[in-house]
Amino acid sequence: MLEILRIVRAALELLVNLGQPIRAVLIQALVTVTLLLFLYAGWHVRDEGSISAGLRVAFVDTRAYRAQQLRELESAILQSELRQTAETDKLINQLLTALLGRAPTAARVQLGVVHNGVTGVTGMTLLRFDITNAVAGPGHSVGTMVTNQSLSDWNELLPALLAGKCQMGTASDATNLPLRARFEALGAGAFMACPVIDIQGRMLGGVFLTWDVRDRPPAGEELQSLMEFARIIGIQIASALDLRGHVLWPLGTLVPD
């Protein structure tokens, strides 16, 4: 703003020193420019809703200033996302801990979240999954937190998960080699996979309970009760993922690669 005032002052001094004909032409041009500046400033004042904000946007905000404002906004959004992620992670881990508490002989429970990993040459989405959260019982490890794994590893589990059902199985009977290899690396003898489905019926991932080879998994009514509890936990985890802003993949659009 000070620079603009200096320019106006210099122009006025120049007009005083000029002859009458030239002065008249320049005064007319100066009046036109002044009117345009008033219109320009008035337009921004109306858009911003205040005189000070309108004048700042019209005459002060530079490209560098706007870039700085954008960086500050992005930083604030990132900080908000970090806090939200920390809160939802805490909630998800509490839910997984509650599920593990209902299966005292289980070694661990892991959460796998489906996401859009890559797009193939045909333009079709090839979905992936990450193990984002895990809780282990005493004396056990949570296992490897894998990322960007092909959803084809879940091929034998997807029919049940997409139907909103849990599936019980043994690691040695798993037909998918990468899935069996991961279970065996954990020392798991049995597993239970249950869907993470939101209130709109969209599957966002799955929770996986595993039992060591030497431990006995539940059966009969005990197993049915655990499966029902796991389904409820899956719905609650889906709500937490919604809060985090997780990308939702509608039921029936899963395309294993």
Side-chain angles (χ1 to χ4, degrees), residues 220-239:
E221 293 183 0
E222 184 183 2
L223 176 59
Q224 292 302 318
S225 176
L226 177 61
M227 286 182 171
E228 183 58 30
F229 186 74
R231 288 182 65 255
I232 295 172
I233 290 293
I235 293 172
Q236 294 174 332
I237 289 175
S239 298

PDB file of all heavy atoms in Angstrom, residues 220-239:
ATOM      1  N   GLY A 220     -18.189 -75.124  18.160  1.00  0.00           N
ATOM      2  CA  GLY A 220     -19.587 -75.172  18.561  1.00  0.00           C
ATOM      3  C   GLY A 220     -20.159 -73.806  18.899  1.00  0.00           C
ATOM      4  O   GLY A 220     -19.935 -72.817  18.203  1.00  0.00           O
ATOM      5  N   GLU A 221     -20.927 -73.733  19.997  1.00  0.00           N
ATOM      6  CA  GLU A 221     -21.572 -72.493  20.399  1.00  0.00           C
ATOM      7  C   GLU A 221     -20.559 -71.418  20.750  1.00  0.00           C
ATOM      8  O   GLU A 221     -20.788 -70.224  20.512  1.00  0.00           O
ATOM      9  CB  GLU A 221     -22.499 -72.746  21.587  1.00  0.00           C
ATOM     10  CG  GLU A 221     -23.711 -73.617  21.249  1.00  0.00           C
ATOM     11  CD  GLU A 221     -24.631 -73.773  22.437  1.00  0.00           C
ATOM     12  OE1 GLU A 221     -24.321 -73.201  23.510  1.00  0.00           O
ATOM     13  OE2 GLU A 221     -25.662 -74.459  22.305  1.00  0.00           O
ATOM     14  N   GLU A 222     -19.433 -71.834  21.304  1.00  0.00           N
ATOM     15  CA  GLU A 222     -18.381 -70.866  21.643  1.00  0.00           C
ATOM     16  C   GLU A 222     -17.855 -70.178  20.393  1.00  0.00           C
ATOM     17  O   GLU A 222     -17.639 -68.958  20.371  1.00  0.00           O
ATOM     18  CB  GLU A 222     -17.246 -71.580  22.375  1.00  0.00           C
ATOM     19  CG  GLU A 222     -16.139 -70.640  22.859  1.00  0.00           C
ATOM     20  CD  GLU A 222     -14.989 -71.385  23.510  1.00  0.00           C
ATOM     21  OE1 GLU A 222     -15.034 -72.639  23.559  1.00  0.00           O
ATOM     22  OE2 GLU A 222     -14.046 -70.716  23.966  1.00  0.00           O
ATOM     23  N   LEU A 223     -17.692 -70.949  19.318  1.00  0.00           N
ATOM     24  CA  LEU A 223     -17.228 -70.380  18.055  1.00  0.00           C
ATOM     25  C   LEU A 223     -18.278 -69.460  17.452  1.00  0.00           C
ATOM     26  O   LEU A 223     -17.960 -68.368  16.960  1.00  0.00           O
ATOM     27  CB  LEU A 223     -16.875 -71.505  17.072  1.00  0.00           C
ATOM     28  CG  LEU A 223     -16.457 -71.064  15.662  1.00  0.00           C
ATOM     29  CD1 LEU A 223     -15.237 -70.157  15.718  1.00  0.00           C
ATOM     30  CD2 LEU A 223     -16.205 -72.272  14.773  1.00  0.00           C
ATOM     31  N   GLN A 224     -19.549 -69.863  17.477  1.00  0.00           N
ATOM     32  CA  GLN A 224     -20.607 -69.034  16.927  1.00  0.00           C
ATOM     33  C   GLN A 224     -20.717 -67.702  17.668  1.00  0.00           C
ATOM     34  O   GLN A 224     -20.917 -66.644  17.071  1.00  0.00           O
ATOM     35  CB  GLN A 224     -21.945 -69.781  16.991  1.00  0.00           C
ATOM     36  CG  GLN A 224     -22.029 -70.992  16.073  1.00  0.00           C
ATOM     37  CD  GLN A 224     -21.795 -70.629  14.615  1.00  0.00           C
ATOM     38  OE1 GLN A 224     -22.296 -69.616  14.124  1.00  0.00           O
ATOM     39  NE2 GLN A 224     -21.026 -71.465  13.917  1.00  0.00           N
ATOM     40  N   SER A 225     -20.582 -67.753  18.993  1.00  0.00           N
ATOM     41  CA  SER A 225     -20.623 -66.522  19.785  1.00  0.00           C
ATOM     42  C   SER A 225     -19.450 -65.615  19.442  1.00  0.00           C
ATOM     43  O   SER A 225     -19.606 -64.389  19.320  1.00  0.00           O
ATOM     44  CB  SER A 225     -20.598 -66.877  21.276  1.00  0.00           C
ATOM     45  OG  SER A 225     -20.545 -65.713  22.066  1.00  0.00           O
ATOM     46  N   LEU A 226     -18.269 -66.209  19.247  1.00  0.00           N
ATOM     47  CA  LEU A 226     -17.092 -65.416  18.897  1.00  0.00           C
ATOM     48  C   LEU A 226     -17.263 -64.778  17.511  1.00  0.00           C
ATOM     49  O   LEU A 226     -16.918 -63.608  17.312  1.00  0.00           O
ATOM     50  CB  LEU A 226     -15.838 -66.301  18.919  1.00  0.00           C
ATOM     51  CG  LEU A 226     -14.524 -65.618  18.503  1.00  0.00           C
ATOM     52  CD1 LEU A 226     -14.202 -64.454  19.441  1.00  0.00           C
ATOM     53  CD2 LEU A 226     -13.386 -66.637  18.485  1.00  0.00           C
ATOM     54  N   MET A 227     -17.806 -65.536  16.560  1.00  0.00           N
ATOM     55  CA  MET A 227     -18.023 -64.994  15.218  1.00  0.00           C
ATOM     56  C   MET A 227     -18.996 -63.823  15.243  1.00  0.00           C
ATOM     57  O   MET A 227     -18.781 -62.802  14.568  1.00  0.00           O
ATOM     58  CB  MET A 227     -18.543 -66.096  14.288  1.00  0.00           C
ATOM     59  CG  MET A 227     -17.503 -67.108  13.856  1.00  0.00           C
ATOM     60  SD  MET A 227     -18.192 -68.336  12.706  1.00  0.00           S
ATOM     61  CE  MET A 227     -16.705 -69.193  12.180  1.00  0.00           C
ATOM     62  N   GLU A 228     -20.065 -63.953  16.013  1.00  0.00           N
ATOM     63  CA  GLU A 228     -21.039 -62.865  16.094  1.00  0.00           C
ATOM     64  C   GLU A 228     -20.408 -61.623  16.718  1.00  0.00           C
ATOM     65  O   GLU A 228     -20.635 -60.495  16.254  1.00  0.00           O
ATOM     66  CB  GLU A 228     -22.250 -63.309  16.924  1.00  0.00           C
ATOM     67  CG  GLU A 228     -23.360 -62.282  17.010  1.00  0.00           C
ATOM     68  CD  GLU A 228     -23.913 -61.878  15.653  1.00  0.00           C
ATOM     69  OE1 GLU A 228     -23.889 -62.721  14.724  1.00  0.00           O
ATOM     70  OE2 GLU A 228     -24.366 -60.716  15.526  1.00  0.00           O
ATOM     71  N   PHE A 229     -19.618 -61.826  17.760  1.00  0.00           N
ATOM     72  CA  PHE A 229     -18.932 -60.702  18.391  1.00  0.00           C
ATOM     73  C   PHE A 229     -17.940 -60.064  17.413  1.00  0.00           C
ATOM     74  O   PHE A 229     -17.816 -58.834  17.353  1.00  0.00           O
ATOM     75  CB  PHE A 229     -18.215 -61.167  19.655  1.00  0.00           C
ATOM     76  CG  PHE A 229     -17.588 -60.059  20.446  1.00  0.00           C
ATOM     77  CD1 PHE A 229     -18.370 -59.194  21.202  1.00  0.00           C
ATOM     78  CD2 PHE A 229     -16.212 -59.859  20.434  1.00  0.00           C
ATOM     79  CE1 PHE A 229     -17.799 -58.160  21.925  1.00  0.00           C
ATOM     80  CE2 PHE A 229     -15.628 -58.835  21.165  1.00  0.00           C
ATOM     81  CZ  PHE A 229     -16.429 -57.969  21.911  1.00  0.00           C
ATOM     82  N   ALA A 230     -17.241 -60.882  16.637  1.00  0.00           N
ATOM     83  CA  ALA A 230     -16.267 -60.373  15.664  1.00  0.00           C
ATOM     84  C   ALA A 230     -16.960 -59.553  14.579  1.00  0.00           C
ATOM     85  O   ALA A 230     -16.426 -58.539  14.112  1.00  0.00           O
ATOM     86  CB  ALA A 230     -15.482 -61.521  15.041  1.00  0.00           C
ATOM     87  N   ARG A 231     -18.151 -59.965  14.172  1.00  0.00           N
ATOM     88  CA  ARG A 231     -18.912 -59.214  13.163  1.00  0.00           C
ATOM     89  C   ARG A 231     -19.284 -57.832  13.707  1.00  0.00           C
ATOM     90  O   ARG A 231     -19.210 -56.827  12.986  1.00  0.00           O
ATOM     91  CB  ARG A 231     -20.164 -59.972  12.758  1.00  0.00           C
ATOM     92  CG  ARG A 231     -19.876 -61.204  11.897  1.00  0.00           C
ATOM     93  CD  ARG A 231     -21.153 -61.908  11.476  1.00  0.00           C
ATOM     94  NE  ARG A 231     -21.958 -61.060  10.611  1.00  0.00           N
ATOM     95  CZ  ARG A 231     -23.071 -60.418  10.980  1.00  0.00           C
ATOM     96  NH1 ARG A 231     -23.517 -60.524  12.216  1.00  0.00           N
ATOM     97  NH2 ARG A 231     -23.727 -59.680  10.127  1.00  0.00           N
ATOM     98  N   ILE A 232     -19.673 -57.771  14.982  1.00  0.00           N
ATOM     99  CA  ILE A 232     -20.011 -56.483  15.597  1.00  0.00           C
ATOM    100  C   ILE A 232     -18.769 -55.594  15.683  1.00  0.00           C
ATOM    101  O   ILE A 232     -18.822 -54.385  15.385  1.00  0.00           O
ATOM    102  CB  ILE A 232     -20.617 -56.709  16.995  1.00  0.00           C
ATOM    103  CG1 ILE A 232     -21.952 -57.440  16.872  1.00  0.00           C
ATOM    104  CG2 ILE A 232     -20.805 -55.383  17.728  1.00  0.00           C
ATOM    105  CD1 ILE A 232     -22.539 -57.882  18.188  1.00  0.00           C
ATOM    106  N   ILE A 233     -17.644 -56.191  16.080  1.00  0.00           N
ATOM    107  CA  ILE A 233     -16.390 -55.445  16.133  1.00  0.00           C
ATOM    108  C   ILE A 233     -16.036 -54.910  14.740  1.00  0.00           C
ATOM    109  O   ILE A 233     -15.572 -53.766  14.598  1.00  0.00           O
ATOM    110  CB  ILE A 233     -15.249 -56.328  16.675  1.00  0.00           C
ATOM    111  CG1 ILE A 233     -15.457 -56.621  18.162  1.00  0.00           C
ATOM    112  CG2 ILE A 233     -13.887 -55.672  16.449  1.00  0.00           C
ATOM    113  CD1 ILE A 233     -15.342 -55.416  19.062  1.00  0.00           C
ATOM    114  N   GLY A 234     -16.257 -55.730  13.706  1.00  0.00           N
ATOM    115  CA  GLY A 234     -15.974 -55.299  12.336  1.00  0.00           C
ATOM    116  C   GLY A 234     -16.788 -54.077  11.942  1.00  0.00           C
ATOM    117  O   GLY A 234     -16.282 -53.162  11.281  1.00  0.00           O
ATOM    118  N   ILE A 235     -18.055 -54.032  12.338  1.00  0.00           N
ATOM    119  CA  ILE A 235     -18.904 -52.873  12.037  1.00  0.00           C
ATOM    120  C   ILE A 235     -18.386 -51.626  12.752  1.00  0.00           C
ATOM    121  O   ILE A 235     -18.352 -50.525  12.180  1.00  0.00           O
ATOM    122  CB  ILE A 235     -20.366 -53.171  12.438  1.00  0.00           C
ATOM    123  CG1 ILE A 235     -20.946 -54.281  11.546  1.00  0.00           C
ATOM    124  CG2 ILE A 235     -21.224 -51.916  12.349  1.00  0.00           C
ATOM    125  CD1 ILE A 235     -22.311 -54.777  11.993  1.00  0.00           C
ATOM    126  N   GLN A 236     -17.970 -51.791  13.998  1.00  0.00           N
ATOM    127  CA  GLN A 236     -17.448 -50.651  14.749  1.00  0.00           C
ATOM    128  C   GLN A 236     -16.126 -50.154  14.168  1.00  0.00           C
ATOM    129  O   GLN A 236     -15.863 -48.944  14.130  1.00  0.00           O
ATOM    130  CB  GLN A 236     -17.284 -51.035  16.221  1.00  0.00           C
ATOM    131  CG  GLN A 236     -18.614 -51.310  16.918  1.00  0.00           C
ATOM    132  CD  GLN A 236     -18.443 -51.826  18.336  1.00  0.00           C
ATOM    133  OE1 GLN A 236     -17.432 -52.453  18.658  1.00  0.00           O
ATOM    134  NE2 GLN A 236     -19.426 -51.561  19.187  1.00  0.00           N
ATOM    135  N   ILE A 237     -15.297 -51.083  13.710  1.00  0.00           N
ATOM    136  CA  ILE A 237     -14.043 -50.677  13.068  1.00  0.00           C
ATOM    137  C   ILE A 237     -14.328 -49.918  11.772  1.00  0.00           C
ATOM    138  O   ILE A 237     -13.657 -48.929  11.453  1.00  0.00           O
ATOM    139  CB  ILE A 237     -13.151 -51.909  12.799  1.00  0.00           C
ATOM    140  CG1 ILE A 237     -12.597 -52.458  14.119  1.00  0.00           C
ATOM    141  CG2 ILE A 237     -11.997 -51.552  11.859  1.00  0.00           C
ATOM    142  CD1 ILE A 237     -11.801 -53.731  13.975  1.00  0.00           C
ATOM    143  N   ALA A 238     -15.339 -50.360  11.028  1.00  0.00           N
ATOM    144  CA  ALA A 238     -15.714 -49.658   9.794  1.00  0.00           C
ATOM    145  C   ALA A 238     -16.109 -48.220  10.095  1.00  0.00           C
ATOM    146  O   ALA A 238     -15.774 -47.299   9.334  1.00  0.00           O
ATOM    147  CB  ALA A 238     -16.846 -50.398   9.095  1.00  0.00           C
ATOM    148  N   SER A 239     -16.823 -48.003  11.198  1.00  0.00           N
ATOM    149  CA  SER A 239     -17.195 -46.637  11.582  1.00  0.00           C
ATOM    150  C   SER A 239     -15.957 -45.804  11.886  1.00  0.00           C
ATOM    151  O   SER A 239     -15.889 -44.619  11.530  1.00  0.00           O
ATOM    152  CB  SER A 239     -18.117 -46.669  12.804  1.00  0.00           C
ATOM    153  OG  SER A 239     -19.329 -47.346  12.512  1.00  0.00           O
TER     154      SER A 239
END
